[in-house]
Amino acid sequence: MDDESGRRGTESEPPEEASPGFGIGAVARRLGVPAPTLRTWNLRYGIGPSHRSPGGHRRYDAADLVRLEEMSRLVKAGVPPAEAARSALRHPGTAAPPEERAAQAPGHPGTVVPAQERAAQAPPRDTAVPGVTALSRAVLNLDDHAVTACLHAALDRQGVVWTWERLVQPVFAAITRRQERSGAGIEIEHLFSERLLSALIRRSARPERPVHPRPVLLACAEEEQHTLPVHALAAALTTAYRLETRVLGARTPYAALAEAMRRVGPLAVFVWSQVGTTGDPAPLRSLPALRPASRIFVGGPGWWDGGLPPGVTRVASLREAQARIRAVLGP
């Protein structure tokens, strides 16, 4: 996932030595993480082997493995690699690498928050579900922590669809009205969007035991940049039905979507259009007819009236999209 090194894990490795610890090949096999990705994590984030063998080869010890397992878990859950690395380096039960200890000094610009303090800052599971007024106030105050706490409380206790309909859409409407009146407030919209996106991505990680072997593929129409509804649907399908989802994101060319369909063989495909300039349904005709078939759904106010190809279904809301895709599974 974070492998940009361009090297293959099958390249020549030094032989595993009979010294304490693990070589990179053994760690890659144990964690299911390619060796080039392990090297990248070491070079970029300092999560790597902390010992050397008598022959000078780097070796991973038990504490290194704990950090790597935590890093891998967080990345697979959708946490950005840099954030995942900071958390993994402070994972309980492991000692920080030497180069990290200096960064823990009070006042150091790279100070890492201890695990106990992070736990105290995390929104408690029993936090009361906020109302629109409370969340709007937190957003207007640019209170990052309060916005995060409100969103997690609502998502945990009421689910994605309720949170989207009862909190997210009204708050975005209030932000839009404020922008129309004052001509300002883009920073408010950006903060709320970023916190919401982070909360949704955490809830759309691949479930341990998906209910169906074929995933749901989600994308924005070509040149469409509004991605939050796509991530909301992915989180709703994952948390409510344990469906695996693959999000292609903003501005997905139809040729790329077609190729992804051929490679993945999805159970269903969902395409979002927010604005009219991205809502031409004609390119949907170029999507492949697969065997077994993939049901295709579109959503968003941008789609032009009429002209949908046969077999393409338009949905009017997040709730309907969730229900329609669930129905593809059968009784």
Side-chain angles (χ1 to χ4, degrees):
M1 183 168 180
D2 188 50
D3 177 12
E4 287 121 1
S5 64
R7 294 182 290 184
R8 295 186 175 274
T10 56
E11 67 183 48
S12 176
E13 299 282 358
E16 301 286 349
E17 301 181 37
S19 56
F22 306 89
I24 190 170
V27 173
R29 290 189 294 271
R30 176 169 177 158
L31 300 181
V33 176
T37 298
L38 295 177
R39 293 191 187 91
T40 300
W41 289 354
N42 184 25
L43 291 172
R44 293 187 181 179
Y45 311 118
I47 297 185
S50 55
H51 300 285
R52 288 189 180 274
S53 71
H57 297 301
R58 302 292 295 272
R59 308 288 287 183
Y60 295 82
D61 63 15
D64 297 329
L65 289 181
V66 171
R67 283 191 289 268
L68 285 171
E69 287 170 350
E70 178 69 0
M71 174 80 175
S72 178
R73 183 187 70 80
L74 292 171
V75 169
K76 289 176 181 176
V79 178
E83 180 181 337
R86 288 192 294 269
S87 179
L89 285 167
R90 298 274 58 78
H91 192 271
T94 66
E99 60 271 20
E100 289 292 321
R101 293 179 190 136
Q104 296 176 32
H108 189 284
T111 299
V112 180
V113 180
Q116 294 86 348
E117 187 175 339
R118 287 203 317 277
Q121 293 176 355
R125 298 285 296 185
D126 59 353
T127 299
V129 176
V132 173
T133 300
L135 181 55
S136 297
R137 184 182 301 113
V139 173
L140 291 174
N141 290 333
L142 296 178
D143 189 338
D144 182 87
H145 178 70
V147 172
T148 300
C150 288
L151 288 172
H152 281 291
L155 289 165
D156 286 345
R157 295 172 66 87
Q158 298 290 349
V160 176
V161 173
W162 186 96
T163 301
W164 184 262
E165 294 177 345
R166 303 287 292 274
L167 284 181
V168 170
Q169 289 184 322
V171 169
F172 269 127
I175 292 172
T176 299
R177 289 194 297 270
R178 181 184 178 88
Q179 290 175 337
E180 289 173 349
R181 289 196 306 268
S182 65
I186 191 66
E187 73 285 355
I188 297 170
E189 179 184 356
H190 281 189
L191 181 138
F192 185 45
S193 297
E194 288 299 316
R195 292 301 88 211
L196 175 60
L197 178 62
S198 177
L200 292 172
I201 287 176
R202 289 173 183 268
R203 286 162 175 79
S204 57
R206 186 179 189 273
E208 289 186 8
R209 291 182 295 276
V211 298
H212 198 279
R214 299 168 65 196
V216 176
L217 200 59
L218 305 101
C220 291
E222 194 160 341
E223 299 306 321
E224 178 59 64
Q225 300 187 65
H226 295 80
T227 64
L228 284 173
V230 170
H231 285 284
L233 180 55
L237 294 171
T238 300
T239 56
Y241 304 130
R242 294 207 330 273
L243 279 167
E244 181 183 358
T245 60
R246 310 274 179 90
V247 177
L248 301 183
R251 305 177 69 176
T252 303
Y254 284 104
L257 176 58
E259 178 59 24
M261 290 176 63
R262 295 186 187 97
R263 294 177 61 184
V264 173
L267 175 71
V269 176
F270 179 83
V271 185
W272 177 264
S273 170
Q274 178 78 21
V275 296
T277 54
T278 67
D280 182 359
L284 295 170
R285 299 179 183 277
S286 66
L287 298 180
L290 303 177
R291 291 293 181 270
S294 298
R295 289 290 305 276
I296 299 177
F297 300 90
V298 298
W303 293 107
W304 302 354
D305 292 333
L308 285 177
V312 177
T313 301
R314 185 171 182 176
V315 296
S317 66
L318 175 63
R319 186 179 297 274
E320 182 185 358
Q322 182 190 41
R324 292 274 193 148
I325 294 174
R326 165 63 182 85
V328 177
L329 292 171

